[in-house]
Amino acid sequence: MMLKNPADKYRPFDLGVDMSDRTWPSKSITAAPRWLSTDLRDGNQALADPMDVEKKMRFWNKLMEVGLKEVEVGFPSASQIEFDFVRKLIEGSHIPDDVAVQVLVQSREDLIARTFESLKGAKQAIVHLYNATSPLFRRVVFGLEKADVIALAVKGATAIMAEAAKQPDTKWMFEYSPETFSATELDFAVEVCERVMDVFGATQENPVILNLPATVEVSMPNLYADQIEYFCRKLSRRDSAIISIHPHNDRGTGIAAAELSLLAGADRIEGCLFGNGERTGNVDLVTLALNLYTQGITPNLDFSDIRSVVRTVEYCNALPVHPRHPYAGELVFTAFSGSHQDAIRKGFAAHEQRNDGIWEMPYLPIDPADLGESYEAVIRVNSQSGKGGIAWILEQDKGLKLPRRFQVDFSRKIQEIADATGKEMHAEDIWHAFEGAYHLNGEQKYELLEYADSGILRTGGERLFAGRIRHDGVEVPVNGRGNGLISSAVNALNDSYGLGLEVVDFHEHALYKGTDAKAVAYVECKTPDDRKVFGVGIDSDTATASVKAILSAANAL
């Protein structure tokens, strides 16, 4: 049961230092960080069924396509599968020359030796050493004092240097994580990192990666940024360190924590595609990269085929990517709401008139086409949809550009169907409903059979329409006069059948460009009792499309 007063059990996080002079809030992100994917290590260890070598290889290939230059490929001292995968990458020459593999190891000499054995023959590699540093872990998990923690870190770093010296042909880089940094006293975190930098011989030319993980999110993201800024200030050789962050998502603010930390001085981000990881996950590299992209910053990662990335991650992790996941979910570019649909449709119309290429679109912060997505799914129709969404689908699927009042008329018909079924209506459902509503196929009460150009004559400024229609299965001739083709055709029907139709609006356009283009005509008519009826005609001949539209309106009666 939740407590009425949670302060009886929980305490707010205390940074432990005064950061009233913080500078990060006034800064802006202007360039992408260095990225490290830890999908094959941290993400993998969070799976109920960890990846085998085949799945790891498939994931690796996708990471290479995306453009990752640093990948934590495993924990080779932890299992044979992890070891074998590192060997497969090296022995099979699967690692591009500009890519560095990273491996994780605890501060134990036997595990470090096993780790370096897995890396034999690598052109370049990052060895990642870690040990927990926070008071809770020192007291409860390991029973260590601060001096013991420092000694453990130094011992591990010393063993790593000794092993690296045995393989001089590999370009080595070293990383150290004060695990549980987010809950560690800041001055102590600086102290232990300084001691490790000493052992690794950190210089400006050969910097050490200092990874500062939010192993567990214990505070709001602004306080994590304060931790990063404070650490960067206090580190005596800041120019000899690459500050890396590894945010988790326990509070659901991993993305915000990462972005604010870049403002605070971080150079590098470790995370997973779509944020898989222990508990609520690691920080999401896809979202972070595309957040930068939408601000005009090159992320140096390529998600031009986002759907293939989703498929690979879902297969390898055996976990679904949520339909509402930022940028990548199946529904993130989809609007069901009528007001959203109307705004998006108008946005696309305005975008076609721009000549500067700038993307300004209601409800769409990124162009789906940039991620390899089509516009077909941008608007989908259910009972929440409006006329704009329905019109959009007909335009995208069939090339029809319905006049506004025509949209209103048809949307009522779709609304009735959607309300009755309670389900989404797909493009083929909408087209089938359109054909039925305006009598474009099947039996028709009034059906045009023919009319001849020679039957349209100039007499006293009027025009004569002469044609044949099938009315209730009976072929009959019809004739009418008017000031044009439309009015003469309407009068022919009115004179023959007493319909009393009056044309109040007419539109037409080509369906497609080119020699095979068809014409579509829309007509709005008024009846003697002031009822509105609509008709549509489609034909390769513009005049015939207009006549068919009149008959469509008559059929609507």
Side-chain angles (χ1 to χ4, degrees), residues 389-405:
I390 296 163
W392 162 274
I393 289 178
L394 284 175
E395 181 173 351
Q396 296 297 307
D397 192 54
K398 299 296 181 181
L400 301 179
K401 300 178 181 179
L402 304 188
R404 185 181 182 281
R405 288 198 293 272

PDB file of all heavy atoms in Angstrom, residues 389-405:
ATOM      1  N   GLY A 389      -9.058  14.272 -42.767  1.00  0.00           N
ATOM      2  CA  GLY A 389      -8.340  13.008 -42.833  1.00  0.00           C
ATOM      3  C   GLY A 389      -8.847  12.115 -43.935  1.00  0.00           C
ATOM      4  O   GLY A 389      -8.072  11.465 -44.651  1.00  0.00           O
ATOM      5  N   ILE A 390     -10.155  12.085 -44.100  1.00  0.00           N
ATOM      6  CA  ILE A 390     -10.748  11.266 -45.159  1.00  0.00           C
ATOM      7  C   ILE A 390     -10.329  11.805 -46.522  1.00  0.00           C
ATOM      8  O   ILE A 390      -9.974  11.047 -47.432  1.00  0.00           O
ATOM      9  CB  ILE A 390     -12.279  11.255 -45.010  1.00  0.00           C
ATOM     10  CG1 ILE A 390     -12.655  10.575 -43.688  1.00  0.00           C
ATOM     11  CG2 ILE A 390     -12.942  10.554 -46.185  1.00  0.00           C
ATOM     12  CD1 ILE A 390     -14.064  10.837 -43.227  1.00  0.00           C
ATOM     13  N   ALA A 391     -10.367  13.117 -46.676  1.00  0.00           N
ATOM     14  CA  ALA A 391      -9.959  13.734 -47.937  1.00  0.00           C
ATOM     15  C   ALA A 391      -8.494  13.440 -48.234  1.00  0.00           C
ATOM     16  O   ALA A 391      -8.104  13.198 -49.384  1.00  0.00           O
ATOM     17  CB  ALA A 391     -10.200  15.240 -47.880  1.00  0.00           C
ATOM     18  N   TRP A 392      -7.648  13.476 -47.178  1.00  0.00           N
ATOM     19  CA  TRP A 392      -6.221  13.192 -47.357  1.00  0.00           C
ATOM     20  C   TRP A 392      -6.007  11.793 -47.918  1.00  0.00           C
ATOM     21  O   TRP A 392      -5.224  11.584 -48.849  1.00  0.00           O
ATOM     22  CB  TRP A 392      -5.503  13.346 -46.021  1.00  0.00           C
ATOM     23  CG  TRP A 392      -4.146  12.701 -45.950  1.00  0.00           C
ATOM     24  CD1 TRP A 392      -3.866  11.416 -45.628  1.00  0.00           C
ATOM     25  CD2 TRP A 392      -2.875  13.319 -46.241  1.00  0.00           C
ATOM     26  NE1 TRP A 392      -2.505  11.191 -45.668  1.00  0.00           N
ATOM     27  CE2 TRP A 392      -1.884  12.337 -46.051  1.00  0.00           C
ATOM     28  CE3 TRP A 392      -2.498  14.600 -46.627  1.00  0.00           C
ATOM     29  CZ2 TRP A 392      -0.542  12.599 -46.235  1.00  0.00           C
ATOM     30  CZ3 TRP A 392      -1.152  14.858 -46.802  1.00  0.00           C
ATOM     31  CH2 TRP A 392      -0.193  13.877 -46.615  1.00  0.00           C
ATOM     32  N   ILE A 393      -6.712  10.807 -47.338  1.00  0.00           N
ATOM     33  CA  ILE A 393      -6.522   9.425 -47.769  1.00  0.00           C
ATOM     34  C   ILE A 393      -6.951   9.247 -49.215  1.00  0.00           C
ATOM     35  O   ILE A 393      -6.273   8.590 -50.015  1.00  0.00           O
ATOM     36  CB  ILE A 393      -7.286   8.473 -46.830  1.00  0.00           C
ATOM     37  CG1 ILE A 393      -6.560   8.435 -45.474  1.00  0.00           C
ATOM     38  CG2 ILE A 393      -7.395   7.074 -47.422  1.00  0.00           C
ATOM     39  CD1 ILE A 393      -7.221   7.578 -44.441  1.00  0.00           C
ATOM     40  N   LEU A 394      -8.083   9.843 -49.600  1.00  0.00           N
ATOM     41  CA  LEU A 394      -8.524   9.735 -50.989  1.00  0.00           C
ATOM     42  C   LEU A 394      -7.543  10.420 -51.937  1.00  0.00           C
ATOM     43  O   LEU A 394      -7.320   9.953 -53.055  1.00  0.00           O
ATOM     44  CB  LEU A 394      -9.924  10.338 -51.149  1.00  0.00           C
ATOM     45  CG  LEU A 394     -11.079   9.482 -50.616  1.00  0.00           C
ATOM     46  CD1 LEU A 394     -12.390  10.239 -50.718  1.00  0.00           C
ATOM     47  CD2 LEU A 394     -11.168   8.167 -51.400  1.00  0.00           C
ATOM     48  N   GLU A 395      -6.969  11.517 -51.492  1.00  0.00           N
ATOM     49  CA  GLU A 395      -5.992  12.214 -52.339  1.00  0.00           C
ATOM     50  C   GLU A 395      -4.717  11.390 -52.480  1.00  0.00           C
ATOM     51  O   GLU A 395      -4.175  11.251 -53.584  1.00  0.00           O
ATOM     52  CB  GLU A 395      -5.672  13.586 -51.768  1.00  0.00           C
ATOM     53  CG  GLU A 395      -4.676  14.363 -52.624  1.00  0.00           C
ATOM     54  CD  GLU A 395      -4.485  15.786 -52.154  1.00  0.00           C
ATOM     55  OE1 GLU A 395      -5.237  16.244 -51.272  1.00  0.00           O
ATOM     56  OE2 GLU A 395      -3.562  16.452 -52.675  1.00  0.00           O
ATOM     57  N   GLN A 396      -4.223  10.841 -51.352  1.00  0.00           N
ATOM     58  CA  GLN A 396      -2.984  10.070 -51.404  1.00  0.00           C
ATOM     59  C   GLN A 396      -3.166   8.746 -52.134  1.00  0.00           C
ATOM     60  O   GLN A 396      -2.281   8.305 -52.864  1.00  0.00           O
ATOM     61  CB  GLN A 396      -2.491   9.800 -49.977  1.00  0.00           C
ATOM     62  CG  GLN A 396      -2.099  11.044 -49.203  1.00  0.00           C
ATOM     63  CD  GLN A 396      -0.933  11.780 -49.811  1.00  0.00           C
ATOM     64  OE1 GLN A 396       0.124  11.199 -50.055  1.00  0.00           O
ATOM     65  NE2 GLN A 396      -1.117  13.056 -50.100  1.00  0.00           N
ATOM     66  N   ASP A 397      -4.316   8.111 -51.950  1.00  0.00           N
ATOM     67  CA  ASP A 397      -4.530   6.773 -52.494  1.00  0.00           C
ATOM     68  C   ASP A 397      -5.087   6.786 -53.909  1.00  0.00           C
ATOM     69  O   ASP A 397      -4.713   5.955 -54.741  1.00  0.00           O
ATOM     70  CB  ASP A 397      -5.474   6.002 -51.568  1.00  0.00           C
ATOM     71  CG  ASP A 397      -5.511   4.518 -51.896  1.00  0.00           C
ATOM     72  OD1 ASP A 397      -4.432   3.907 -51.939  1.00  0.00           O
ATOM     73  OD2 ASP A 397      -6.612   3.980 -52.114  1.00  0.00           O
ATOM     74  N   LYS A 398      -5.981   7.764 -54.200  1.00  0.00           N
ATOM     75  CA  LYS A 398      -6.660   7.768 -55.500  1.00  0.00           C
ATOM     76  C   LYS A 398      -6.453   9.048 -56.294  1.00  0.00           C
ATOM     77  O   LYS A 398      -6.911   9.133 -57.435  1.00  0.00           O
ATOM     78  CB  LYS A 398      -8.171   7.539 -55.304  1.00  0.00           C
ATOM     79  CG  LYS A 398      -8.528   6.208 -54.661  1.00  0.00           C
ATOM     80  CD  LYS A 398      -8.115   5.037 -55.557  1.00  0.00           C
ATOM     81  CE  LYS A 398      -8.487   3.701 -54.928  1.00  0.00           C
ATOM     82  NZ  LYS A 398      -8.069   2.554 -55.768  1.00  0.00           N
ATOM     83  N   GLY A 399      -5.818  10.041 -55.720  1.00  0.00           N
ATOM     84  CA  GLY A 399      -5.590  11.284 -56.447  1.00  0.00           C
ATOM     85  C   GLY A 399      -6.753  12.247 -56.425  1.00  0.00           C
ATOM     86  O   GLY A 399      -6.712  13.293 -57.092  1.00  0.00           O
ATOM     87  N   LEU A 400      -7.806  11.933 -55.672  1.00  0.00           N
ATOM     88  CA  LEU A 400      -8.986  12.800 -55.616  1.00  0.00           C
ATOM     89  C   LEU A 400      -8.753  13.980 -54.683  1.00  0.00           C
ATOM     90  O   LEU A 400      -8.232  13.814 -53.589  1.00  0.00           O
ATOM     91  CB  LEU A 400     -10.213  12.014 -55.136  1.00  0.00           C
ATOM     92  CG  LEU A 400     -10.639  10.809 -55.972  1.00  0.00           C
ATOM     93  CD1 LEU A 400     -11.839  10.131 -55.343  1.00  0.00           C
ATOM     94  CD2 LEU A 400     -10.951  11.229 -57.404  1.00  0.00           C
ATOM     95  N   LYS A 401      -9.150  15.160 -55.119  1.00  0.00           N
ATOM     96  CA  LYS A 401      -9.040  16.369 -54.303  1.00  0.00           C
ATOM     97  C   LYS A 401     -10.442  16.918 -54.082  1.00  0.00           C
ATOM     98  O   LYS A 401     -10.942  17.762 -54.838  1.00  0.00           O
ATOM     99  CB  LYS A 401      -8.150  17.403 -54.993  1.00  0.00           C
ATOM    100  CG  LYS A 401      -6.734  16.901 -55.234  1.00  0.00           C
ATOM    101  CD  LYS A 401      -5.894  17.938 -55.970  1.00  0.00           C
ATOM    102  CE  LYS A 401      -4.475  17.410 -56.225  1.00  0.00           C
ATOM    103  NZ  LYS A 401      -3.636  18.390 -56.962  1.00  0.00           N
ATOM    104  N   LEU A 402     -11.096  16.409 -53.051  1.00  0.00           N
ATOM    105  CA  LEU A 402     -12.499  16.735 -52.834  1.00  0.00           C
ATOM    106  C   LEU A 402     -12.679  18.192 -52.434  1.00  0.00           C
ATOM    107  O   LEU A 402     -11.972  18.691 -51.551  1.00  0.00           O
ATOM    108  CB  LEU A 402     -13.083  15.848 -51.720  1.00  0.00           C
ATOM    109  CG  LEU A 402     -12.983  14.333 -51.871  1.00  0.00           C
ATOM    110  CD1 LEU A 402     -13.780  13.661 -50.764  1.00  0.00           C
ATOM    111  CD2 LEU A 402     -13.472  13.875 -53.233  1.00  0.00           C
ATOM    112  N   PRO A 403     -13.632  18.906 -53.051  1.00  0.00           N
ATOM    113  CA  PRO A 403     -13.986  20.245 -52.571  1.00  0.00           C
ATOM    114  C   PRO A 403     -14.480  20.170 -51.121  1.00  0.00           C
ATOM    115  O   PRO A 403     -14.927  19.118 -50.649  1.00  0.00           O
ATOM    116  CB  PRO A 403     -15.110  20.678 -53.522  1.00  0.00           C
ATOM    117  CG  PRO A 403     -14.946  19.818 -54.730  1.00  0.00           C
ATOM    118  CD  PRO A 403     -14.408  18.509 -54.236  1.00  0.00           C
ATOM    119  N   ARG A 404     -14.417  21.284 -50.424  1.00  0.00           N
ATOM    120  CA  ARG A 404     -14.672  21.273 -48.995  1.00  0.00           C
ATOM    121  C   ARG A 404     -16.053  20.734 -48.650  1.00  0.00           C
ATOM    122  O   ARG A 404     -16.203  19.881 -47.775  1.00  0.00           O
ATOM    123  CB  ARG A 404     -14.500  22.679 -48.411  1.00  0.00           C
ATOM    124  CG  ARG A 404     -14.632  22.701 -46.891  1.00  0.00           C
ATOM    125  CD  ARG A 404     -14.489  24.079 -46.315  1.00  0.00           C
ATOM    126  NE  ARG A 404     -14.574  24.041 -44.862  1.00  0.00           N
ATOM    127  CZ  ARG A 404     -15.707  23.944 -44.178  1.00  0.00           C
ATOM    128  NH1 ARG A 404     -16.854  23.886 -44.824  1.00  0.00           N
ATOM    129  NH2 ARG A 404     -15.704  23.895 -42.858  1.00  0.00           N
ATOM    130  N   ARG A 405     -17.109  21.241 -49.312  1.00  0.00           N
ATOM    131  CA  ARG A 405     -18.456  20.773 -48.951  1.00  0.00           C
ATOM    132  C   ARG A 405     -18.653  19.313 -49.347  1.00  0.00           C
ATOM    133  O   ARG A 405     -19.439  18.599 -48.716  1.00  0.00           O
ATOM    134  CB  ARG A 405     -19.511  21.687 -49.589  1.00  0.00           C
ATOM    135  CG  ARG A 405     -19.579  23.059 -48.935  1.00  0.00           C
ATOM    136  CD  ARG A 405     -20.885  23.774 -49.273  1.00  0.00           C
ATOM    137  NE  ARG A 405     -20.972  24.128 -50.686  1.00  0.00           N
ATOM    138  CZ  ARG A 405     -20.510  25.270 -51.193  1.00  0.00           C
ATOM    139  NH1 ARG A 405     -19.921  26.167 -50.407  1.00  0.00           N
ATOM    140  NH2 ARG A 405     -20.627  25.539 -52.479  1.00  0.00           N
TER     141      ARG A 405
END
